[in-house]
Amino acid sequence: MKASRLFPPPGSERTYYRIAGPNRYALGAVNKNVKENRAFVAFSRHFKALGLTVPEIYLVDESEEYYLLEDFGNTTLYDWLSNTRSGRTVPPNIVDFYKRVIDNLVIFQVEGVKGLDFSLCYPRHSFDKQSMLWDLHYFKYYFLKLAGVPFDEQLLEDDYHKFAGYLQQADSEYFLYRDFQSRNVMVTEQGPAFIDYQGGRRGALQYDLASLLFDAKADLPPAVREELLEYYISVLRQKIEVNEKEFRDYFYGYVLIRIMQAMGAYGFRGFYEKKEHFLKSIPFAIENLKYLLDKVNFPVELPALIDALRKITQSEKLQEIGNTANLTVLITSFSYRRGIPVDTSGHGGGFVFDCRCINNPGKYEEYKDKTGRHPDVIAFFEREKEMETFLESVVALADQSVKKYLKRNFKHLMFNFGCTGGQHRSVYCAEKLAGYLRKHYPVNVELKHQEVLTWPKEGEMGRTVEG
């Protein structure tokens, strides 16, 4: 049995370890926040009993600071979408997957509320006016002030109370997941699986749908959002009576407060904690704000708030702040049969890694027709100690190089991963490094798989880019 440390979710104090044995594997979670752990464990068992695909809890330590849970792998809906889409176009199979996610969301909200012990909710039992004001002040202090956006403090505070009071009029007797976005939906062979609902509480239906459809970096086109909104309403009607106009009015109000909450988080992590990769989401959030301000006439007058939001959308500094990445990192998988990829940038900077030193799943019949992005192949490599050791060395070199290249304002860096056929080992390594760099550095990552040129078979995690 072996264990490898995983990176904690952004903004979380939890640490995860992937634990692999000869025939099965799990995640080990370490979190000193016992109240949060109790909520997650109890909610997991409650939703599991409803047939929802959430992690099974295998074991909880007596201290309640450690627990073992089911491992759904590494591929989130955001990862799949990012690695598959061409420009802003979302392929039909991903739109269909979003609809399966929505099917489950309605069950979480309407069925999940029944019998749930809300006394375990952390940090608050419901998304009430106090919770809303916390989010609005988070936006004020960590985004507006740190970004230098001018506003009238008292007038803005007055609008906050009016806005929160308006949102409180929506029916709030449902389960509110709180962070229902593409990074908390896992893509598995069986369909969508769900994580990170420990912040759930009682609240309105519209908030979670707003989180999913206006997820900043997922950047869903307006036509897709409208299609999914209509689909959600049709599914919800099978459970409860719905006044569509009223639902839509409140929906866009919750879209606004969700965008503001997210921008507060980008400001805290980016401006305050100096974690530059969080700033990359700001231009996407600004585009969402523009769309909202142009489309929606809110039923309540909020002049000071709308004025501050328009100043954000008109700020050239803020629109460019997430685009400060001058370094492009090209990551390529290739087959040694066809030769090492040529550096077309003219700079010649980078690395070539030979993955043939790692056990090859292509030797086994069950993996021959799959690639390094297939869940079965991913699981194979996650059980291989030599792959873990190999990637630790790769990441150490990547860290050193990317930091230096950014400091010296270099423009291009290349990482090439080669194996025999360019199908399994090299693809897996390229995907892992691309995901790591996207999460930790303000760089533009281009990912190319030279030997994987077609739409994937069922279960593959997205289409690759022709090299």
Side-chain angles (χ1 to χ4, degrees), residues 350-392:
F351 299 85
V352 178
F353 297 102
D354 187 346
C355 305
R356 292 174 295 183
C357 60
I358 300 162
N359 189 20
N360 183 13
K363 297 185 298 183
Y364 306 98
E365 193 64 36
E366 63 266 36
Y367 303 119
K368 283 185 177 179
D369 293 331
K370 300 172 181 176
T371 77
R373 295 183 303 172
H374 193 283
D376 292 349
V377 178
I378 291 171
F380 175 92
F381 284 130
E382 288 172 353
R383 295 190 293 268
E384 293 290 317
K385 178 65 177 177
E386 58 191 11
M387 176 60 84
E388 179 185 342
T389 302
F390 181 83
L391 285 176
E392 284 176 353

CSV table of all heavy atoms in Angstrom, one decimal, residues 350-392:
chain,number,residue,atom,x,y,z
A,350,GLY,N,13.3,24.5,-23.2
A,350,GLY,CA,12.4,23.5,-22.7
A,350,GLY,C,13.1,22.1,-22.5
A,350,GLY,O,14.3,22.0,-22.4
A,351,PHE,N,12.2,21.1,-22.3
A,351,PHE,CA,12.6,19.8,-21.9
A,351,PHE,C,12.0,18.7,-22.7
A,351,PHE,O,10.9,18.9,-23.3
A,351,PHE,CB,12.1,19.6,-20.4
A,351,PHE,CG,12.7,20.6,-19.4
A,351,PHE,CD1,12.1,21.8,-19.2
A,351,PHE,CD2,13.9,20.2,-18.7
A,351,PHE,CE1,12.6,22.7,-18.3
A,351,PHE,CE2,14.4,21.1,-17.8
A,351,PHE,CZ,13.7,22.4,-17.6
A,352,VAL,N,12.6,17.6,-22.8
A,352,VAL,CA,12.1,16.4,-23.4
A,352,VAL,C,12.2,15.3,-22.3
A,352,VAL,O,13.3,15.0,-21.8
A,352,VAL,CB,12.8,15.9,-24.7
A,352,VAL,CG1,12.2,14.6,-25.2
A,352,VAL,CG2,12.7,17.0,-25.7
A,353,PHE,N,11.1,14.7,-22.0
A,353,PHE,CA,11.1,13.6,-21.0
A,353,PHE,C,10.7,12.3,-21.6
A,353,PHE,O,9.7,12.2,-22.3
A,353,PHE,CB,10.1,13.9,-19.9
A,353,PHE,CG,10.4,15.2,-19.1
A,353,PHE,CD1,9.7,16.4,-19.3
A,353,PHE,CD2,11.4,15.1,-18.1
A,353,PHE,CE1,10.0,17.5,-18.6
A,353,PHE,CE2,11.6,16.3,-17.4
A,353,PHE,CZ,11.0,17.5,-17.6
A,354,ASP,N,11.5,11.3,-21.4
A,354,ASP,CA,11.3,9.9,-21.9
A,354,ASP,C,10.5,9.1,-20.9
A,354,ASP,O,11.0,8.7,-19.9
A,354,ASP,CB,12.6,9.3,-22.2
A,354,ASP,CG,12.5,8.0,-22.9
A,354,ASP,OD1,11.4,7.4,-23.0
A,354,ASP,OD2,13.5,7.5,-23.4
A,355,CYS,N,9.2,8.9,-21.2
A,355,CYS,CA,8.3,8.2,-20.3
A,355,CYS,C,8.4,6.7,-20.4
A,355,CYS,O,7.7,5.9,-19.8
A,355,CYS,CB,6.9,8.6,-20.6
A,355,CYS,SG,6.6,10.4,-20.5
A,356,ARG,N,9.3,6.2,-21.3
A,356,ARG,CA,9.4,4.7,-21.5
A,356,ARG,C,10.0,4.0,-20.3
A,356,ARG,O,10.0,2.7,-20.3
A,356,ARG,CB,10.2,4.4,-22.8
A,356,ARG,CG,9.4,4.9,-24.0
A,356,ARG,CD,10.3,4.7,-25.3
A,356,ARG,NE,11.5,5.6,-25.3
A,356,ARG,CZ,12.3,5.7,-26.3
A,356,ARG,NH1,12.1,5.0,-27.4
A,356,ARG,NH2,13.4,6.5,-26.2
A,357,CYS,N,10.4,4.7,-19.3
A,357,CYS,CA,11.0,4.1,-18.1
A,357,CYS,C,9.8,3.6,-17.2
A,357,CYS,O,10.1,3.0,-16.1
A,357,CYS,CB,11.9,5.0,-17.4
A,357,CYS,SG,11.1,6.6,-16.9
A,358,ILE,N,8.6,4.0,-17.5
A,358,ILE,CA,7.4,3.7,-16.7
A,358,ILE,C,6.7,2.5,-17.3
A,358,ILE,O,6.6,2.3,-18.5
A,358,ILE,CB,6.5,4.9,-16.6
A,358,ILE,CG1,7.3,6.1,-16.0
A,358,ILE,CG2,5.2,4.6,-15.8
A,358,ILE,CD1,6.6,7.5,-16.3
A,359,ASN,N,6.1,1.7,-16.4
A,359,ASN,CA,5.3,0.5,-16.9
A,359,ASN,C,4.2,1.0,-17.9
A,359,ASN,O,3.5,1.9,-17.6
A,359,ASN,CB,4.6,-0.1,-15.6
A,359,ASN,CG,4.0,-1.4,-16.0
A,359,ASN,OD1,4.3,-2.1,-17.0
A,359,ASN,ND2,3.1,-1.9,-15.1
A,360,ASN,N,4.1,0.2,-18.9
A,360,ASN,CA,3.2,0.6,-20.1
A,360,ASN,C,1.9,-0.1,-20.0
A,360,ASN,O,1.9,-1.3,-20.2
A,360,ASN,CB,4.0,0.3,-21.4
A,360,ASN,CG,3.1,0.7,-22.6
A,360,ASN,OD1,2.2,1.5,-22.5
A,360,ASN,ND2,3.6,0.3,-23.8
A,361,PRO,N,0.8,0.6,-19.8
A,361,PRO,CA,-0.5,-0.1,-19.8
A,361,PRO,C,-0.9,-0.7,-21.2
A,361,PRO,O,-1.8,-1.5,-21.3
A,361,PRO,CB,-1.5,1.0,-19.4
A,361,PRO,CG,-0.8,2.3,-19.7
A,361,PRO,CD,0.7,2.0,-19.5
A,362,GLY,N,-0.2,-0.2,-22.2
A,362,GLY,CA,-0.5,-0.7,-23.6
A,362,GLY,C,-0.2,-2.1,-23.7
A,362,GLY,O,-0.6,-2.8,-24.7
A,363,LYS,N,0.6,-2.7,-22.8
A,363,LYS,CA,0.9,-4.1,-22.9
A,363,LYS,C,-0.3,-5.0,-22.5
A,363,LYS,O,-0.3,-6.2,-22.7
A,363,LYS,CB,2.1,-4.5,-21.9
A,363,LYS,CG,3.4,-3.8,-22.2
A,363,LYS,CD,4.5,-4.2,-21.3
A,363,LYS,CE,4.2,-3.9,-19.8
A,363,LYS,NZ,5.3,-4.3,-18.9
A,364,TYR,N,-1.3,-4.4,-21.9
A,364,TYR,CA,-2.4,-5.1,-21.3
A,364,TYR,C,-3.6,-4.9,-22.2
A,364,TYR,O,-4.0,-3.8,-22.6
A,364,TYR,CB,-2.7,-4.7,-19.9
A,364,TYR,CG,-1.5,-4.8,-19.0
A,364,TYR,CD1,-0.8,-3.7,-18.7
A,364,TYR,CD2,-1.1,-6.0,-18.5
A,364,TYR,CE1,0.3,-3.7,-17.9
A,364,TYR,CE2,0.0,-6.1,-17.6
A,364,TYR,CZ,0.7,-5.0,-17.3
A,364,TYR,OH,1.8,-5.0,-16.5
A,365,GLU,N,-4.4,-6.0,-22.5
A,365,GLU,CA,-5.4,-5.9,-23.5
A,365,GLU,C,-6.5,-4.9,-23.1
A,365,GLU,O,-7.0,-4.2,-24.0
A,365,GLU,CB,-6.1,-7.3,-23.6
A,365,GLU,CG,-7.0,-7.5,-24.8
A,365,GLU,CD,-6.3,-7.4,-26.1
A,365,GLU,OE1,-5.1,-7.8,-26.2
A,365,GLU,OE2,-6.9,-6.8,-27.1
A,366,GLU,N,-6.8,-4.8,-21.8
A,366,GLU,CA,-7.9,-3.9,-21.5
A,366,GLU,C,-7.6,-2.4,-21.6
A,366,GLU,O,-8.5,-1.6,-21.6
A,366,GLU,CB,-8.3,-4.2,-20.0
A,366,GLU,CG,-7.3,-3.9,-19.0
A,366,GLU,CD,-6.5,-5.1,-18.6
A,366,GLU,OE1,-6.2,-6.0,-19.5
A,366,GLU,OE2,-6.1,-5.2,-17.4
A,367,TYR,N,-6.4,-2.1,-21.8
A,367,TYR,CA,-6.0,-0.7,-22.0
A,367,TYR,C,-5.6,-0.3,-23.4
A,367,TYR,O,-5.4,0.9,-23.7
A,367,TYR,CB,-4.8,-0.3,-21.0
A,367,TYR,CG,-5.1,-0.6,-19.6
A,367,TYR,CD1,-4.3,-1.5,-18.9
A,367,TYR,CD2,-6.1,0.0,-18.9
A,367,TYR,CE1,-4.5,-1.8,-17.5
A,367,TYR,CE2,-6.4,-0.2,-17.6
A,367,TYR,CZ,-5.6,-1.1,-16.9
A,367,TYR,OH,-5.8,-1.4,-15.6
A,368,LYS,N,-5.5,-1.3,-24.3
A,368,LYS,CA,-4.9,-1.0,-25.6
A,368,LYS,C,-5.6,0.1,-26.4
A,368,LYS,O,-5.0,0.9,-27.1
A,368,LYS,CB,-4.8,-2.3,-26.4
A,368,LYS,CG,-3.6,-3.2,-26.0
A,368,LYS,CD,-3.5,-4.4,-26.9
A,368,LYS,CE,-2.3,-5.3,-26.4
A,368,LYS,NZ,-2.2,-6.5,-27.3
A,369,ASP,N,-6.9,0.1,-26.3
A,369,ASP,CA,-7.7,1.0,-27.1
A,369,ASP,C,-8.1,2.3,-26.3
A,369,ASP,O,-8.9,3.1,-26.8
A,369,ASP,CB,-9.0,0.4,-27.6
A,369,ASP,CG,-8.8,-0.8,-28.5
A,369,ASP,OD1,-7.8,-0.7,-29.3
A,369,ASP,OD2,-9.6,-1.7,-28.6
A,370,LYS,N,-7.4,2.5,-25.2
A,370,LYS,CA,-7.7,3.7,-24.4
A,370,LYS,C,-6.5,4.6,-24.4
A,370,LYS,O,-5.4,4.1,-24.7
A,370,LYS,CB,-8.1,3.3,-23.0
A,370,LYS,CG,-9.4,2.4,-23.0
A,370,LYS,CD,-9.7,1.9,-21.6
A,370,LYS,CE,-11.0,1.0,-21.6
A,370,LYS,NZ,-11.2,0.3,-20.3
A,371,THR,N,-6.6,5.8,-23.9
A,371,THR,CA,-5.5,6.7,-23.9
A,371,THR,C,-5.2,7.1,-22.4
A,371,THR,O,-5.9,6.7,-21.5
A,371,THR,CB,-5.8,8.0,-24.7
A,371,THR,OG1,-6.6,8.9,-23.9
A,371,THR,CG2,-6.4,7.7,-26.0
A,372,GLY,N,-4.2,7.9,-22.2
A,372,GLY,CA,-3.8,8.4,-20.9
A,372,GLY,C,-4.8,9.3,-20.2
A,372,GLY,O,-4.6,9.7,-19.1
A,373,ARG,N,-5.9,9.6,-20.9
A,373,ARG,CA,-6.9,10.4,-20.3
A,373,ARG,C,-8.2,9.6,-19.9
A,373,ARG,O,-9.1,10.1,-19.3
A,373,ARG,CB,-7.4,11.5,-21.2
A,373,ARG,CG,-6.3,12.5,-21.5
A,373,ARG,CD,-6.8,13.7,-22.3
A,373,ARG,NE,-7.3,13.1,-23.6
A,373,ARG,CZ,-7.9,13.9,-24.5
A,373,ARG,NH1,-8.1,15.1,-24.2
A,373,ARG,NH2,-8.3,13.3,-25.6
A,374,HIS,N,-8.1,8.3,-20.2
A,374,HIS,CA,-9.3,7.5,-19.8
A,374,HIS,C,-9.2,7.1,-18.3
A,374,HIS,O,-8.1,6.9,-17.8
A,374,HIS,CB,-9.2,6.2,-20.6
A,374,HIS,CG,-10.5,5.4,-20.6
A,374,HIS,ND1,-10.8,4.6,-19.5
A,374,HIS,CD2,-11.5,5.2,-21.4
A,374,HIS,CE1,-11.9,4.0,-19.7
A,374,HIS,NE2,-12.4,4.4,-20.9
A,375,PRO,N,-10.3,7.1,-17.6
A,375,PRO,CA,-10.3,6.8,-16.2
A,375,PRO,C,-9.6,5.5,-15.8
A,375,PRO,O,-8.9,5.5,-14.8
A,375,PRO,CB,-11.8,6.8,-15.8
A,375,PRO,CG,-12.5,7.6,-16.8
A,375,PRO,CD,-11.7,7.4,-18.1
A,376,ASP,N,-9.8,4.5,-16.6
A,376,ASP,CA,-9.1,3.2,-16.3
A,376,ASP,C,-7.6,3.4,-16.3
A,376,ASP,O,-6.9,2.8,-15.5
A,376,ASP,CB,-9.6,2.1,-17.2
A,376,ASP,CG,-11.0,1.8,-17.0
A,376,ASP,OD1,-11.6,2.2,-16.0
A,376,ASP,OD2,-11.6,1.0,-17.9
A,377,VAL,N,-7.1,4.1,-17.3
A,377,VAL,CA,-5.7,4.3,-17.5
A,377,VAL,C,-5.1,5.2,-16.4
A,377,VAL,O,-4.1,5.0,-15.8
A,377,VAL,CB,-5.3,4.8,-18.9
A,377,VAL,CG1,-3.8,5.1,-19.0
A,377,VAL,CG2,-5.8,3.9,-20.0
A,378,ILE,N,-5.9,6.2,-16.1
A,378,ILE,CA,-5.5,7.1,-15.0
A,378,ILE,C,-5.4,6.3,-13.7
A,378,ILE,O,-4.4,6.5,-12.9
A,378,ILE,CB,-6.6,8.2,-14.8
A,378,ILE,CG1,-6.5,9.2,-16.0
A,378,ILE,CG2,-6.4,9.0,-13.5
A,378,ILE,CD1,-7.6,10.2,-16.0
A,379,ALA,N,-6.4,5.5,-13.4
A,379,ALA,CA,-6.3,4.6,-12.2
A,379,ALA,C,-5.1,3.7,-12.2
A,379,ALA,O,-4.5,3.5,-11.2
A,379,ALA,CB,-7.6,3.8,-12.1
A,380,PHE,N,-4.8,3.2,-13.4
A,380,PHE,CA,-3.6,2.3,-13.5
A,380,PHE,C,-2.3,3.1,-13.1
A,380,PHE,O,-1.5,2.6,-12.3
A,380,PHE,CB,-3.5,1.9,-15.0
A,380,PHE,CG,-2.2,1.1,-15.3
A,380,PHE,CD1,-2.2,-0.3,-15.2
A,380,PHE,CD2,-1.0,1.7,-15.7
A,380,PHE,CE1,-1.1,-1.0,-15.5
A,380,PHE,CE2,0.1,1.0,-16.0
A,380,PHE,CZ,0.1,-0.4,-15.9
A,381,PHE,N,-2.2,4.3,-13.6
A,381,PHE,CA,-1.0,5.1,-13.3
A,381,PHE,C,-0.9,5.5,-11.8
A,381,PHE,O,0.1,5.7,-11.2
A,381,PHE,CB,-0.8,6.3,-14.2
A,381,PHE,CG,-0.4,5.9,-15.6
A,381,PHE,CD1,-1.0,6.4,-16.7
A,381,PHE,CD2,0.8,5.2,-15.8
A,381,PHE,CE1,-0.6,6.1,-18.0
A,381,PHE,CE2,1.2,4.8,-17.1
A,381,PHE,CZ,0.5,5.3,-18.2
A,382,GLU,N,-2.1,5.8,-11.3
A,382,GLU,CA,-2.1,6.3,-9.9
A,382,GLU,C,-1.7,5.1,-8.9
A,382,GLU,O,-1.4,5.4,-7.8
A,382,GLU,CB,-3.5,6.8,-9.6
A,382,GLU,CG,-3.7,8.2,-10.2
A,382,GLU,CD,-5.1,8.7,-10.1
A,382,GLU,OE1,-6.0,7.9,-9.6
A,382,GLU,OE2,-5.4,9.9,-10.5
A,383,ARG,N,-1.7,3.9,-9.4
A,383,ARG,CA,-1.2,2.8,-8.6
A,383,ARG,C,0.3,2.5,-8.8
A,383,ARG,O,0.8,1.6,-8.2
A,383,ARG,CB,-2.1,1.5,-8.9
A,383,ARG,CG,-3.5,1.7,-8.5
A,383,ARG,CD,-4.2,0.3,-8.6
A,383,ARG,NE,-4.3,-0.2,-10.0
A,383,ARG,CZ,-5.4,0.1,-10.8
A,383,ARG,NH1,-6.4,0.8,-10.3
A,383,ARG,NH2,-5.4,-0.4,-12.0
A,384,GLU,N,0.9,3.3,-9.7
A,384,GLU,CA,2.3,3.0,-10.1
A,384,GLU,C,3.2,4.0,-9.3
A,384,GLU,O,3.2,5.2,-9.6
A,384,GLU,CB,2.5,3.2,-11.6
A,384,GLU,CG,1.8,2.1,-12.4
A,384,GLU,CD,2.4,0.7,-12.3
A,384,GLU,OE1,3.7,0.7,-12.3
A,384,GLU,OE2,1.7,-0.3,-12.2
A,385,LYS,N,4.0,3.5,-8.4
A,385,LYS,CA,4.9,4.3,-7.7
A,385,LYS,C,5.9,5.0,-8.6
A,385,LYS,O,6.3,6.1,-8.4
A,385,LYS,CB,5.6,3.4,-6.6
A,385,LYS,CG,6.7,4.2,-5.8
A,385,LYS,CD,6.0,5.3,-4.9
A,385,LYS,CE,7.1,6.0,-4.1
A,385,LYS,NZ,6.5,7.0,-3.2
A,386,GLU,N,6.3,4.3,-9.7
A,386,GLU,CA,7.4,4.9,-10.5
A,386,GLU,C,6.8,6.1,-11.3
A,386,GLU,O,7.6,7.0,-11.6
A,386,GLU,CB,7.9,3.8,-11.5
A,386,GLU,CG,6.8,3.2,-12.4
A,386,GLU,CD,7.4,2.0,-13.1
A,386,GLU,OE1,8.5,1.6,-12.8
A,386,GLU,OE2,6.7,1.5,-14.0
A,387,MET,N,5.5,6.1,-11.6
A,387,MET,CA,4.9,7.3,-12.2
A,387,MET,C,4.9,8.4,-11.2
A,387,MET,O,5.2,9.6,-11.6
A,387,MET,CB,3.5,7.0,-12.7
A,387,MET,CG,2.8,8.2,-13.3
A,387,MET,SD,3.6,8.9,-14.7
A,387,MET,CE,3.0,7.8,-16.0
A,388,GLU,N,4.6,8.2,-10.0
A,388,GLU,CA,4.6,9.2,-9.0
A,388,GLU,C,6.0,9.8,-8.8
A,388,GLU,O,6.1,11.1,-8.8
A,388,GLU,CB,4.1,8.7,-7.6
A,388,GLU,CG,4.1,9.7,-6.5
A,388,GLU,CD,3.7,9.1,-5.2
A,388,GLU,OE1,3.2,7.9,-5.2
A,388,GLU,OE2,4.0,9.7,-4.1
A,389,THR,N,7.0,9.0,-8.7
A,389,THR,CA,8.4,9.5,-8.6
A,389,THR,C,8.8,10.3,-9.8
A,389,THR,O,9.4,11.3,-9.7
A,389,THR,CB,9.3,8.3,-8.4
A,389,THR,OG1,8.9,7.5,-7.2
A,389,THR,CG2,10.7,8.7,-8.2
A,390,PHE,N,8.4,9.8,-11.0
A,390,PHE,CA,8.8,10.4,-12.2
A,390,PHE,C,8.2,11.8,-12.3
A,390,PHE,O,8.9,12.8,-12.6
A,390,PHE,CB,8.3,9.6,-13.4
A,390,PHE,CG,8.6,10.1,-14.8
A,390,PHE,CD1,9.8,9.9,-15.4
A,390,PHE,CD2,7.6,10.9,-15.5
A,390,PHE,CE1,10.1,10.4,-16.6
A,390,PHE,CE2,7.9,11.4,-16.7
A,390,PHE,CZ,9.1,11.1,-17.3
A,391,LEU,N,6.9,12.0,-12.0
A,391,LEU,CA,6.2,13.3,-12.0
A,391,LEU,C,6.7,14.2,-11.0
A,391,LEU,O,6.7,15.4,-11.2
A,391,LEU,CB,4.7,13.1,-12.0
A,391,LEU,CG,4.1,12.5,-13.2
A,391,LEU,CD1,2.6,12.3,-13.0
A,391,LEU,CD2,4.3,13.5,-14.4
A,392,GLU,N,7.1,13.7,-9.8
A,392,GLU,CA,7.7,14.6,-8.8
A,392,GLU,C,8.9,15.3,-9.3
A,392,GLU,O,9.1,16.5,-9.1
A,392,GLU,CB,8.0,13.8,-7.5
A,392,GLU,CG,6.8,13.4,-6.7
A,392,GLU,CD,7.2,12.5,-5.5
A,392,GLU,OE1,8.3,12.1,-5.4
A,392,GLU,OE2,6.3,12.2,-4.7
